[in-house]
Amino acid sequence: MTVPVCPTRLRLVPDTTHEGALADIFEPDRVITVRRRCDAPQGAATSFLQEGPRLLLGYGTADTLQAMFHDFFTPNSLPLLEDAIALVRDYCEISGLSQARMRLEQIRGDSCRRFHVDNVGLRMLCTYVGPGTEWVPPVLALGQNREDINAETIRRIRTGDVAILKGSAWSGVGLKGVLHRSPPLSGRPEDERIRLLLTIDEPAACGMAGECNPTVRR
């Protein structure tokens, strides 16, 4: 199989290098599926950290979001927006929604460091810079206090990989919600205490309907 040059066309192509195709999230015994990739636009992501806002948040169709955020990217960082919008399209195709909420955020502290389950149906995550989201397989999470998860049970999504997680609002058959957290950054060297995280989910997730569209924080 010939691999396309553009990484955003790889999402649903089955191969032997990933833990699961993203559409596998609909299997009843899955709460997370991860699509591995080795050519995420990390150079553009690094440029965005230097040049872009701390937060970009908005909802709409993929085309609407692309137009909404275009002016916040420079030629150096624009491949990051193109990748993120391609992931929005993937999310909409998998979820069956025509619109999505997109959040691109620079994280410089211990945000959401406690294990939790998101109050959403399906959420897509991609960490472009820094350590990826940590999660615990359901069979290992049973009976554990969320404040005292055994470190040996924790798994981490690789930087640049794309994951879809079920949340507590999942209405399908099977398991509901994956226990996960943002990796703590405070114990890392100072130059490693940063992440660039893309989150995609349903348009009204986290009260988005009441937010300014878009919301930009510098």
Side-chain angles (χ1 to χ4, degrees), residues 6 8 56-74 77-89 98-102 198 213-214:
C6 178
T8 58
L56 290 177
L57 173 66
Y59 66 91
T61 65
D63 289 342
T64 298
L65 290 168
Q66 186 166 25
M68 184 184 294
F69 293 138
H70 182 273
D71 290 347
F72 297 102
F73 291 79
T74 67
S77 61
L78 191 58
L80 172 63
L81 176 62
E82 295 171 350
D83 190 76
I85 294 301
L87 290 177
V88 170
R89 296 187 195 280
S98 61
Q99 299 185 43
R101 184 191 81 133
M102 172 180 152
L198 174 70
N213 192 32

PDB file of all heavy atoms in Angstrom, residues 6 8 56-74 77-89 98-102 198 213-214:
ATOM      1  N   CYS A   6       0.237  13.395   2.554  1.00  0.00           N
ATOM      2  CA  CYS A   6      -0.493  14.184   3.556  1.00  0.00           C
ATOM      3  C   CYS A   6      -0.944  13.288   4.690  1.00  0.00           C
ATOM      4  O   CYS A   6      -1.715  12.352   4.481  1.00  0.00           O
ATOM      5  CB  CYS A   6      -1.710  14.862   2.926  1.00  0.00           C
ATOM      6  SG  CYS A   6      -2.676  15.807   4.133  1.00  0.00           S
ATOM      7  N   THR A   8      -3.055  13.738   6.991  1.00  0.00           N
ATOM      8  CA  THR A   8      -4.462  13.837   7.343  1.00  0.00           C
ATOM      9  C   THR A   8      -5.335  12.922   6.509  1.00  0.00           C
ATOM     10  O   THR A   8      -6.523  12.824   6.749  1.00  0.00           O
ATOM     11  CB  THR A   8      -4.932  15.287   7.164  1.00  0.00           C
ATOM     12  OG1 THR A   8      -4.699  15.685   5.816  1.00  0.00           O
ATOM     13  CG2 THR A   8      -4.179  16.208   8.090  1.00  0.00           C
ATOM     14  N   LEU A  56      -7.406  28.694  21.024  1.00  0.00           N
ATOM     15  CA  LEU A  56      -8.379  28.889  19.955  1.00  0.00           C
ATOM     16  C   LEU A  56      -9.520  27.922  20.207  1.00  0.00           C
ATOM     17  O   LEU A  56      -9.304  26.711  20.346  1.00  0.00           O
ATOM     18  CB  LEU A  56      -7.754  28.595  18.580  1.00  0.00           C
ATOM     19  CG  LEU A  56      -6.712  29.581  18.061  1.00  0.00           C
ATOM     20  CD1 LEU A  56      -6.157  29.089  16.730  1.00  0.00           C
ATOM     21  CD2 LEU A  56      -7.299  30.983  17.905  1.00  0.00           C
ATOM     22  N   LEU A  57     -10.730  28.443  20.279  1.00  0.00           N
ATOM     23  CA  LEU A  57     -11.886  27.619  20.597  1.00  0.00           C
ATOM     24  C   LEU A  57     -13.066  28.079  19.757  1.00  0.00           C
ATOM     25  O   LEU A  57     -13.381  29.272  19.708  1.00  0.00           O
ATOM     26  CB  LEU A  57     -12.227  27.743  22.094  1.00  0.00           C
ATOM     27  CG  LEU A  57     -13.502  27.089  22.593  1.00  0.00           C
ATOM     28  CD1 LEU A  57     -13.422  25.564  22.468  1.00  0.00           C
ATOM     29  CD2 LEU A  57     -13.739  27.473  24.057  1.00  0.00           C
ATOM     30  N   GLY A  58     -13.723  27.149  19.086  1.00  0.00           N
ATOM     31  CA  GLY A  58     -14.878  27.503  18.286  1.00  0.00           C
ATOM     32  C   GLY A  58     -15.633  26.276  17.829  1.00  0.00           C
ATOM     33  O   GLY A  58     -15.168  25.148  17.999  1.00  0.00           O
ATOM     34  N   TYR A  59     -16.815  26.495  17.251  1.00  0.00           N
ATOM     35  CA  TYR A  59     -17.588  25.371  16.733  1.00  0.00           C
ATOM     36  C   TYR A  59     -18.190  25.746  15.387  1.00  0.00           C
ATOM     37  O   TYR A  59     -18.399  26.920  15.065  1.00  0.00           O
ATOM     38  CB  TYR A  59     -18.680  24.944  17.718  1.00  0.00           C
ATOM     39  CG  TYR A  59     -19.784  25.955  17.938  1.00  0.00           C
ATOM     40  CD1 TYR A  59     -20.949  25.943  17.162  1.00  0.00           C
ATOM     41  CD2 TYR A  59     -19.673  26.918  18.936  1.00  0.00           C
ATOM     42  CE1 TYR A  59     -21.959  26.873  17.369  1.00  0.00           C
ATOM     43  CE2 TYR A  59     -20.671  27.847  19.151  1.00  0.00           C
ATOM     44  CZ  TYR A  59     -21.816  27.818  18.361  1.00  0.00           C
ATOM     45  OH  TYR A  59     -22.806  28.746  18.563  1.00  0.00           O
ATOM     46  N   GLY A  60     -18.479  24.710  14.604  1.00  0.00           N
ATOM     47  CA  GLY A  60     -19.047  24.898  13.280  1.00  0.00           C
ATOM     48  C   GLY A  60     -18.650  23.750  12.383  1.00  0.00           C
ATOM     49  O   GLY A  60     -18.103  22.743  12.843  1.00  0.00           O
ATOM     50  N   THR A  61     -18.910  23.879  11.103  1.00  0.00           N
ATOM     51  CA  THR A  61     -18.465  22.867  10.153  1.00  0.00           C
ATOM     52  C   THR A  61     -16.947  22.991   9.994  1.00  0.00           C
ATOM     53  O   THR A  61     -16.336  23.977  10.411  1.00  0.00           O
ATOM     54  CB  THR A  61     -19.127  23.066   8.789  1.00  0.00           C
ATOM     55  OG1 THR A  61     -18.673  24.314   8.235  1.00  0.00           O
ATOM     56  CG2 THR A  61     -20.654  23.090   8.907  1.00  0.00           C
ATOM     57  N   ALA A  62     -16.346  21.998   9.356  1.00  0.00           N
ATOM     58  CA  ALA A  62     -14.905  22.049   9.120  1.00  0.00           C
ATOM     59  C   ALA A  62     -14.533  23.278   8.307  1.00  0.00           C
ATOM     60  O   ALA A  62     -13.550  23.976   8.617  1.00  0.00           O
ATOM     61  CB  ALA A  62     -14.447  20.773   8.415  1.00  0.00           C
ATOM     62  N   ASP A  63     -15.318  23.590   7.280  1.00  0.00           N
ATOM     63  CA  ASP A  63     -15.027  24.765   6.453  1.00  0.00           C
ATOM     64  C   ASP A  63     -15.160  26.060   7.258  1.00  0.00           C
ATOM     65  O   ASP A  63     -14.353  26.987   7.115  1.00  0.00           O
ATOM     66  CB  ASP A  63     -15.958  24.816   5.246  1.00  0.00           C
ATOM     67  CG  ASP A  63     -15.644  23.733   4.217  1.00  0.00           C
ATOM     68  OD1 ASP A  63     -14.528  23.180   4.262  1.00  0.00           O
ATOM     69  OD2 ASP A  63     -16.521  23.440   3.380  1.00  0.00           O
ATOM     70  N   THR A  64     -16.179  26.120   8.113  1.00  0.00           N
ATOM     71  CA  THR A  64     -16.377  27.307   8.954  1.00  0.00           C
ATOM     72  C   THR A  64     -15.204  27.499   9.904  1.00  0.00           C
ATOM     73  O   THR A  64     -14.686  28.608  10.062  1.00  0.00           O
ATOM     74  CB  THR A  64     -17.677  27.180   9.762  1.00  0.00           C
ATOM     75  OG1 THR A  64     -18.785  27.103   8.868  1.00  0.00           O
ATOM     76  CG2 THR A  64     -17.860  28.362  10.695  1.00  0.00           C
ATOM     77  N   LEU A  65     -14.752  26.412  10.535  1.00  0.00           N
ATOM     78  CA  LEU A  65     -13.644  26.499  11.477  1.00  0.00           C
ATOM     79  C   LEU A  65     -12.347  26.890  10.772  1.00  0.00           C
ATOM     80  O   LEU A  65     -11.555  27.664  11.304  1.00  0.00           O
ATOM     81  CB  LEU A  65     -13.475  25.161  12.205  1.00  0.00           C
ATOM     82  CG  LEU A  65     -14.584  24.821  13.198  1.00  0.00           C
ATOM     83  CD1 LEU A  65     -14.480  23.362  13.639  1.00  0.00           C
ATOM     84  CD2 LEU A  65     -14.525  25.743  14.417  1.00  0.00           C
ATOM     85  N   GLN A  66     -12.146  26.380   9.582  1.00  0.00           N
ATOM     86  CA  GLN A  66     -10.942  26.728   8.839  1.00  0.00           C
ATOM     87  C   GLN A  66     -10.904  28.223   8.523  1.00  0.00           C
ATOM     88  O   GLN A  66      -9.876  28.883   8.704  1.00  0.00           O
ATOM     89  CB  GLN A  66     -10.854  25.914   7.557  1.00  0.00           C
ATOM     90  CG  GLN A  66      -9.538  26.109   6.799  1.00  0.00           C
ATOM     91  CD  GLN A  66      -9.339  25.070   5.735  1.00  0.00           C
ATOM     92  OE1 GLN A  66     -10.289  24.483   5.218  1.00  0.00           O
ATOM     93  NE2 GLN A  66      -8.092  24.794   5.401  1.00  0.00           N
ATOM     94  N   ALA A  67     -12.024  28.756   8.080  1.00  0.00           N
ATOM     95  CA  ALA A  67     -12.088  30.184   7.795  1.00  0.00           C
ATOM     96  C   ALA A  67     -11.988  31.020   9.077  1.00  0.00           C
ATOM     97  O   ALA A  67     -11.346  32.085   9.101  1.00  0.00           O
ATOM     98  CB  ALA A  67     -13.391  30.504   7.063  1.00  0.00           C
ATOM     99  N   MET A  68     -12.584  30.524  10.144  1.00  0.00           N
ATOM    100  CA  MET A  68     -12.612  31.235  11.416  1.00  0.00           C
ATOM    101  C   MET A  68     -11.212  31.418  12.009  1.00  0.00           C
ATOM    102  O   MET A  68     -10.878  32.457  12.580  1.00  0.00           O
ATOM    103  CB  MET A  68     -13.499  30.440  12.398  1.00  0.00           C
ATOM    104  CG  MET A  68     -13.718  31.062  13.747  1.00  0.00           C
ATOM    105  SD  MET A  68     -14.679  29.941  14.801  1.00  0.00           S
ATOM    106  CE  MET A  68     -16.264  29.905  13.945  1.00  0.00           C
ATOM    107  N   PHE A  69     -10.374  30.402  11.861  1.00  0.00           N
ATOM    108  CA  PHE A  69      -9.070  30.407  12.521  1.00  0.00           C
ATOM    109  C   PHE A  69      -7.901  30.734  11.600  1.00  0.00           C
ATOM    110  O   PHE A  69      -6.765  30.881  12.074  1.00  0.00           O
ATOM    111  CB  PHE A  69      -8.821  29.042  13.167  1.00  0.00           C
ATOM    112  CG  PHE A  69      -9.742  28.723  14.312  1.00  0.00           C
ATOM    113  CD1 PHE A  69     -10.296  27.469  14.451  1.00  0.00           C
ATOM    114  CD2 PHE A  69     -10.050  29.692  15.267  1.00  0.00           C
ATOM    115  CE1 PHE A  69     -11.135  27.172  15.510  1.00  0.00           C
ATOM    116  CE2 PHE A  69     -10.889  29.406  16.321  1.00  0.00           C
ATOM    117  CZ  PHE A  69     -11.429  28.142  16.454  1.00  0.00           C
ATOM    118  N   HIS A  70      -8.150  30.870  10.315  1.00  0.00           N
ATOM    119  CA  HIS A  70      -7.056  30.992   9.356  1.00  0.00           C
ATOM    120  C   HIS A  70      -6.101  32.140   9.687  1.00  0.00           C
ATOM    121  O   HIS A  70      -4.863  32.000   9.592  1.00  0.00           O
ATOM    122  CB  HIS A  70      -7.624  31.176   7.940  1.00  0.00           C
ATOM    123  CG  HIS A  70      -6.562  31.260   6.885  1.00  0.00           C
ATOM    124  ND1 HIS A  70      -5.950  32.450   6.536  1.00  0.00           N
ATOM    125  CD2 HIS A  70      -5.995  30.305   6.106  1.00  0.00           C
ATOM    126  CE1 HIS A  70      -5.063  32.230   5.591  1.00  0.00           C
ATOM    127  NE2 HIS A  70      -5.063  30.942   5.306  1.00  0.00           N
ATOM    128  N   ASP A  71      -6.636  33.280  10.084  1.00  0.00           N
ATOM    129  CA  ASP A  71      -5.802  34.463  10.288  1.00  0.00           C
ATOM    130  C   ASP A  71      -4.925  34.377  11.533  1.00  0.00           C
ATOM    131  O   ASP A  71      -4.060  35.239  11.739  1.00  0.00           O
ATOM    132  CB  ASP A  71      -6.674  35.718  10.368  1.00  0.00           C
ATOM    133  CG  ASP A  71      -7.290  36.072   9.023  1.00  0.00           C
ATOM    134  OD1 ASP A  71      -6.851  35.511   8.000  1.00  0.00           O
ATOM    135  OD2 ASP A  71      -8.226  36.895   9.000  1.00  0.00           O
ATOM    136  N   PHE A  72      -5.112  33.352  12.351  1.00  0.00           N
ATOM    137  CA  PHE A  72      -4.290  33.194  13.543  1.00  0.00           C
ATOM    138  C   PHE A  72      -3.054  32.328  13.280  1.00  0.00           C
ATOM    139  O   PHE A  72      -2.277  32.053  14.202  1.00  0.00           O
ATOM    140  CB  PHE A  72      -5.112  32.576  14.686  1.00  0.00           C
ATOM    141  CG  PHE A  72      -6.258  33.446  15.120  1.00  0.00           C
ATOM    142  CD1 PHE A  72      -7.556  33.168  14.707  1.00  0.00           C
ATOM    143  CD2 PHE A  72      -6.043  34.564  15.916  1.00  0.00           C
ATOM    144  CE1 PHE A  72      -8.622  33.964  15.091  1.00  0.00           C
ATOM    145  CE2 PHE A  72      -7.099  35.377  16.308  1.00  0.00           C
ATOM    146  CZ  PHE A  72      -8.386  35.070  15.898  1.00  0.00           C
ATOM    147  N   PHE A  73      -2.882  31.912  12.039  1.00  0.00           N
ATOM    148  CA  PHE A  73      -1.748  31.074  11.665  1.00  0.00           C
ATOM    149  C   PHE A  73      -0.870  31.799  10.650  1.00  0.00           C
ATOM    150  O   PHE A  73      -1.360  32.523   9.789  1.00  0.00           O
ATOM    151  CB  PHE A  73      -2.232  29.743  11.075  1.00  0.00           C
ATOM    152  CG  PHE A  73      -2.892  28.846  12.076  1.00  0.00           C
ATOM    153  CD1 PHE A  73      -4.215  29.074  12.465  1.00  0.00           C
ATOM    154  CD2 PHE A  73      -2.205  27.790  12.650  1.00  0.00           C
ATOM    155  CE1 PHE A  73      -4.828  28.254  13.407  1.00  0.00           C
ATOM    156  CE2 PHE A  73      -2.808  26.969  13.592  1.00  0.00           C
ATOM    157  CZ  PHE A  73      -4.124  27.199  13.969  1.00  0.00           C
ATOM    158  N   THR A  74       0.427  31.598  10.770  1.00  0.00           N
ATOM    159  CA  THR A  74       1.383  32.150   9.823  1.00  0.00           C
ATOM    160  C   THR A  74       1.698  31.073   8.779  1.00  0.00           C
ATOM    161  O   THR A  74       1.308  29.911   8.935  1.00  0.00           O
ATOM    162  CB  THR A  74       2.676  32.541  10.545  1.00  0.00           C
ATOM    163  OG1 THR A  74       3.323  31.344  11.018  1.00  0.00           O
ATOM    164  CG2 THR A  74       2.384  33.472  11.724  1.00  0.00           C
ATOM    165  N   SER A  77       3.092  28.025  10.458  1.00  0.00           N
ATOM    166  CA  SER A  77       2.224  27.201  11.298  1.00  0.00           C
ATOM    167  C   SER A  77       0.962  26.721  10.590  1.00  0.00           C
ATOM    168  O   SER A  77       0.209  25.914  11.136  1.00  0.00           O
ATOM    169  CB  SER A  77       1.831  27.964  12.567  1.00  0.00           C
ATOM    170  OG  SER A  77       1.114  29.149  12.250  1.00  0.00           O
ATOM    171  N   LEU A  78       0.718  27.193   9.370  1.00  0.00           N
ATOM    172  CA  LEU A  78      -0.517  26.856   8.663  1.00  0.00           C
ATOM    173  C   LEU A  78      -0.712  25.347   8.474  1.00  0.00           C
ATOM    174  O   LEU A  78      -1.857  24.873   8.540  1.00  0.00           O
ATOM    175  CB  LEU A  78      -0.559  27.572   7.317  1.00  0.00           C
ATOM    176  CG  LEU A  78      -1.899  27.526   6.572  1.00  0.00           C
ATOM    177  CD1 LEU A  78      -3.020  28.122   7.426  1.00  0.00           C
ATOM    178  CD2 LEU A  78      -1.793  28.263   5.238  1.00  0.00           C
ATOM    179  N   PRO A  79       0.334  24.542   8.245  1.00  0.00           N
ATOM    180  CA  PRO A  79       0.111  23.091   8.152  1.00  0.00           C
ATOM    181  C   PRO A  79      -0.549  22.496   9.396  1.00  0.00           C
ATOM    182  O   PRO A  79      -1.244  21.479   9.300  1.00  0.00           O
ATOM    183  CB  PRO A  79       1.521  22.526   7.943  1.00  0.00           C
ATOM    184  CG  PRO A  79       2.256  23.637   7.256  1.00  0.00           C
ATOM    185  CD  PRO A  79       1.730  24.893   7.899  1.00  0.00           C
ATOM    186  N   LEU A  80      -0.357  23.129  10.536  1.00  0.00           N
ATOM    187  CA  LEU A  80      -1.026  22.666  11.753  1.00  0.00           C
ATOM    188  C   LEU A  80      -2.534  22.845  11.638  1.00  0.00           C
ATOM    189  O   LEU A  80      -3.303  21.940  11.984  1.00  0.00           O
ATOM    190  CB  LEU A  80      -0.495  23.436  12.959  1.00  0.00           C
ATOM    191  CG  LEU A  80      -1.226  23.203  14.287  1.00  0.00           C
ATOM    192  CD1 LEU A  80      -1.096  21.749  14.725  1.00  0.00           C
ATOM    193  CD2 LEU A  80      -0.702  24.149  15.363  1.00  0.00           C
ATOM    194  N   LEU A  81      -2.977  24.005  11.157  1.00  0.00           N
ATOM    195  CA  LEU A  81      -4.413  24.224  10.979  1.00  0.00           C
ATOM    196  C   LEU A  81      -4.979  23.230   9.971  1.00  0.00           C
ATOM    197  O   LEU A  81      -6.061  22.675  10.188  1.00  0.00           O
ATOM    198  CB  LEU A  81      -4.674  25.658  10.509  1.00  0.00           C
ATOM    199  CG  LEU A  81      -6.142  25.980  10.194  1.00  0.00           C
ATOM    200  CD1 LEU A  81      -7.017  25.825  11.429  1.00  0.00           C
ATOM    201  CD2 LEU A  81      -6.273  27.386   9.605  1.00  0.00           C
ATOM    202  N   GLU A  82      -4.271  23.001   8.878  1.00  0.00           N
ATOM    203  CA  GLU A  82      -4.755  22.058   7.869  1.00  0.00           C
ATOM    204  C   GLU A  82      -4.912  20.665   8.451  1.00  0.00           C
ATOM    205  O   GLU A  82      -5.888  19.949   8.168  1.00  0.00           O
ATOM    206  CB  GLU A  82      -3.789  22.055   6.683  1.00  0.00           C
ATOM    207  CG  GLU A  82      -3.752  23.389   5.934  1.00  0.00           C
ATOM    208  CD  GLU A  82      -2.637  23.452   4.912  1.00  0.00           C
ATOM    209  OE1 GLU A  82      -1.770  22.548   4.912  1.00  0.00           O
ATOM    210  OE2 GLU A  82      -2.628  24.416   4.112  1.00  0.00           O
ATOM    211  N   ASP A  83      -3.976  20.265   9.292  1.00  0.00           N
ATOM    212  CA  ASP A  83      -4.064  18.952   9.935  1.00  0.00           C
ATOM    213  C   ASP A  83      -5.242  18.893  10.901  1.00  0.00           C
ATOM    214  O   ASP A  83      -6.003  17.920  10.923  1.00  0.00           O
ATOM    215  CB  ASP A  83      -2.763  18.661  10.675  1.00  0.00           C
ATOM    216  CG  ASP A  83      -2.684  17.227  11.169  1.00  0.00           C
ATOM    217  OD1 ASP A  83      -2.427  16.327  10.337  1.00  0.00           O
ATOM    218  OD2 ASP A  83      -2.886  17.002  12.370  1.00  0.00           O
ATOM    219  N   ALA A  84      -5.400  19.949  11.699  1.00  0.00           N
ATOM    220  CA  ALA A  84      -6.492  19.986  12.673  1.00  0.00           C
ATOM    221  C   ALA A  84      -7.851  19.950  11.978  1.00  0.00           C
ATOM    222  O   ALA A  84      -8.774  19.251  12.426  1.00  0.00           O
ATOM    223  CB  ALA A  84      -6.370  21.234  13.545  1.00  0.00           C
ATOM    224  N   ILE A  85      -8.004  20.681  10.883  1.00  0.00           N
ATOM    225  CA  ILE A  85      -9.278  20.693  10.164  1.00  0.00           C
ATOM    226  C   ILE A  85      -9.550  19.326   9.535  1.00  0.00           C
ATOM    227  O   ILE A  85     -10.701  18.865   9.512  1.00  0.00           O
ATOM    228  CB  ILE A  85      -9.274  21.801   9.091  1.00  0.00           C
ATOM    229  CG1 ILE A  85      -9.211  23.172   9.762  1.00  0.00           C
ATOM    230  CG2 ILE A  85     -10.512  21.692   8.201  1.00  0.00           C
ATOM    231  CD1 ILE A  85     -10.357  23.482  10.712  1.00  0.00           C
ATOM    232  N   ALA A  86      -8.510  18.662   9.048  1.00  0.00           N
ATOM    233  CA  ALA A  86      -8.703  17.314   8.528  1.00  0.00           C
ATOM    234  C   ALA A  86      -9.188  16.368   9.631  1.00  0.00           C
ATOM    235  O   ALA A  86     -10.027  15.496   9.392  1.00  0.00           O
ATOM    236  CB  ALA A  86      -7.413  16.785   7.916  1.00  0.00           C
ATOM    237  N   LEU A  87      -8.705  16.567  10.848  1.00  0.00           N
ATOM    238  CA  LEU A  87      -9.177  15.758  11.965  1.00  0.00           C
ATOM    239  C   LEU A  87     -10.620  16.098  12.322  1.00  0.00           C
ATOM    240  O   LEU A  87     -11.390  15.218  12.721  1.00  0.00           O
ATOM    241  CB  LEU A  87      -8.255  15.936  13.170  1.00  0.00           C
ATOM    242  CG  LEU A  87      -6.865  15.309  13.024  1.00  0.00           C
ATOM    243  CD1 LEU A  87      -6.007  15.614  14.243  1.00  0.00           C
ATOM    244  CD2 LEU A  87      -6.967  13.813  12.812  1.00  0.00           C
ATOM    245  N   VAL A  88     -10.989  17.364  12.211  1.00  0.00           N
ATOM    246  CA  VAL A  88     -12.400  17.735  12.403  1.00  0.00           C
ATOM    247  C   VAL A  88     -13.268  16.984  11.399  1.00  0.00           C
ATOM    248  O   VAL A  88     -14.329  16.449  11.756  1.00  0.00           O
ATOM    249  CB  VAL A  88     -12.597  19.258  12.252  1.00  0.00           C
ATOM    250  CG1 VAL A  88     -14.090  19.599  12.209  1.00  0.00           C
ATOM    251  CG2 VAL A  88     -11.931  20.008  13.396  1.00  0.00           C
ATOM    252  N   ARG A  89     -12.837  16.916  10.155  1.00  0.00           N
ATOM    253  CA  ARG A  89     -13.609  16.185   9.138  1.00  0.00           C
ATOM    254  C   ARG A  89     -13.708  14.706   9.505  1.00  0.00           C
ATOM    255  O   ARG A  89     -14.774  14.087   9.366  1.00  0.00           O
ATOM    256  CB  ARG A  89     -12.951  16.356   7.767  1.00  0.00           C
ATOM    257  CG  ARG A  89     -12.941  17.780   7.253  1.00  0.00           C
ATOM    258  CD  ARG A  89     -12.439  17.849   5.815  1.00  0.00           C
ATOM    259  NE  ARG A  89     -12.094  19.217   5.439  1.00  0.00           N
ATOM    260  CZ  ARG A  89     -12.980  20.134   5.080  1.00  0.00           C
ATOM    261  NH1 ARG A  89     -14.266  19.831   5.049  1.00  0.00           N
ATOM    262  NH2 ARG A  89     -12.582  21.352   4.745  1.00  0.00           N
ATOM    263  N   SER A  98     -22.581  17.028  11.700  1.00  0.00           N
ATOM    264  CA  SER A  98     -22.200  17.950  10.628  1.00  0.00           C
ATOM    265  C   SER A  98     -21.307  19.073  11.142  1.00  0.00           C
ATOM    266  O   SER A  98     -20.652  19.765  10.357  1.00  0.00           O
ATOM    267  CB  SER A  98     -23.450  18.558   9.981  1.00  0.00           C
ATOM    268  OG  SER A  98     -24.203  19.287  10.946  1.00  0.00           O
ATOM    269  N   GLN A  99     -21.266  19.290  12.474  1.00  0.00           N
ATOM    270  CA  GLN A  99     -20.451  20.325  13.079  1.00  0.00           C
ATOM    271  C   GLN A  99     -19.699  19.739  14.270  1.00  0.00           C
ATOM    272  O   GLN A  99     -20.071  18.683  14.799  1.00  0.00           O
ATOM    273  CB  GLN A  99     -21.296  21.501  13.548  1.00  0.00           C
ATOM    274  CG  GLN A  99     -22.067  22.201  12.443  1.00  0.00           C
ATOM    275  CD  GLN A  99     -22.788  23.432  12.967  1.00  0.00           C
ATOM    276  OE1 GLN A  99     -22.241  24.219  13.749  1.00  0.00           O
ATOM    277  NE2 GLN A  99     -24.024  23.617  12.523  1.00  0.00           N
ATOM    278  N   ALA A 100     -18.664  20.450  14.692  1.00  0.00           N
ATOM    279  CA  ALA A 100     -17.880  19.996  15.843  1.00  0.00           C
ATOM    280  C   ALA A 100     -17.344  21.202  16.591  1.00  0.00           C
ATOM    281  O   ALA A 100     -17.292  22.316  16.060  1.00  0.00           O
ATOM    282  CB  ALA A 100     -16.728  19.100  15.388  1.00  0.00           C
ATOM    283  N   ARG A 101     -16.944  20.963  17.817  1.00  0.00           N
ATOM    284  CA  ARG A 101     -16.231  21.963  18.613  1.00  0.00           C
ATOM    285  C   ARG A 101     -14.743  21.651  18.518  1.00  0.00           C
ATOM    286  O   ARG A 101     -14.320  20.507  18.709  1.00  0.00           O
ATOM    287  CB  ARG A 101     -16.672  21.913  20.075  1.00  0.00           C
ATOM    288  CG  ARG A 101     -16.038  22.984  20.954  1.00  0.00           C
ATOM    289  CD  ARG A 101     -16.306  22.724  22.428  1.00  0.00           C
ATOM    290  NE  ARG A 101     -15.381  21.730  22.958  1.00  0.00           N
ATOM    291  CZ  ARG A 101     -14.711  21.851  24.110  1.00  0.00           C
ATOM    292  NH1 ARG A 101     -14.863  22.928  24.858  1.00  0.00           N
ATOM    293  NH2 ARG A 101     -13.913  20.896  24.536  1.00  0.00           N
ATOM    294  N   MET A 102     -13.936  22.660  18.219  1.00  0.00           N
ATOM    295  CA  MET A 102     -12.485  22.488  18.104  1.00  0.00           C
ATOM    296  C   MET A 102     -11.797  23.375  19.131  1.00  0.00           C
ATOM    297  O   MET A 102     -12.083  24.564  19.244  1.00  0.00           O
ATOM    298  CB  MET A 102     -12.024  22.856  16.689  1.00  0.00           C
ATOM    299  CG  MET A 102     -10.521  22.903  16.516  1.00  0.00           C
ATOM    300  SD  MET A 102     -10.070  23.343  14.800  1.00  0.00           S
ATOM    301  CE  MET A 102      -8.474  24.142  15.089  1.00  0.00           C
ATOM    302  N   LEU A 198      -4.965  19.378  20.868  1.00  0.00           N
ATOM    303  CA  LEU A 198      -6.174  19.565  20.063  1.00  0.00           C
ATOM    304  C   LEU A 198      -7.266  18.663  20.613  1.00  0.00           C
ATOM    305  O   LEU A 198      -7.064  17.464  20.792  1.00  0.00           O
ATOM    306  CB  LEU A 198      -5.898  19.206  18.599  1.00  0.00           C
ATOM    307  CG  LEU A 198      -7.112  19.218  17.668  1.00  0.00           C
ATOM    308  CD1 LEU A 198      -7.599  20.647  17.432  1.00  0.00           C
ATOM    309  CD2 LEU A 198      -6.783  18.536  16.336  1.00  0.00           C
ATOM    310  N   ASN A 213     -18.022  32.737  19.840  1.00  0.00           N
ATOM    311  CA  ASN A 213     -17.581  31.848  18.766  1.00  0.00           C
ATOM    312  C   ASN A 213     -16.935  32.684  17.649  1.00  0.00           C
ATOM    313  O   ASN A 213     -17.648  33.341  16.892  1.00  0.00           O
ATOM    314  CB  ASN A 213     -18.778  31.060  18.205  1.00  0.00           C
ATOM    315  CG  ASN A 213     -18.353  29.939  17.298  1.00  0.00           C
ATOM    316  OD1 ASN A 213     -17.288  29.349  17.486  1.00  0.00           O
ATOM    317  ND2 ASN A 213     -19.166  29.619  16.290  1.00  0.00           N
ATOM    318  N   PRO A 214     -15.609  32.734  17.577  1.00  0.00           N
ATOM    319  CA  PRO A 214     -14.665  31.945  18.361  1.00  0.00           C
ATOM    320  C   PRO A 214     -14.273  32.632  19.659  1.00  0.00           C
ATOM    321  O   PRO A 214     -14.509  33.831  19.845  1.00  0.00           O
ATOM    322  CB  PRO A 214     -13.456  31.854  17.431  1.00  0.00           C
ATOM    323  CG  PRO A 214     -13.470  33.193  16.742  1.00  0.00           C
ATOM    324  CD  PRO A 214     -14.927  33.509  16.517  1.00  0.00           C
TER     325      PRO A 214
END
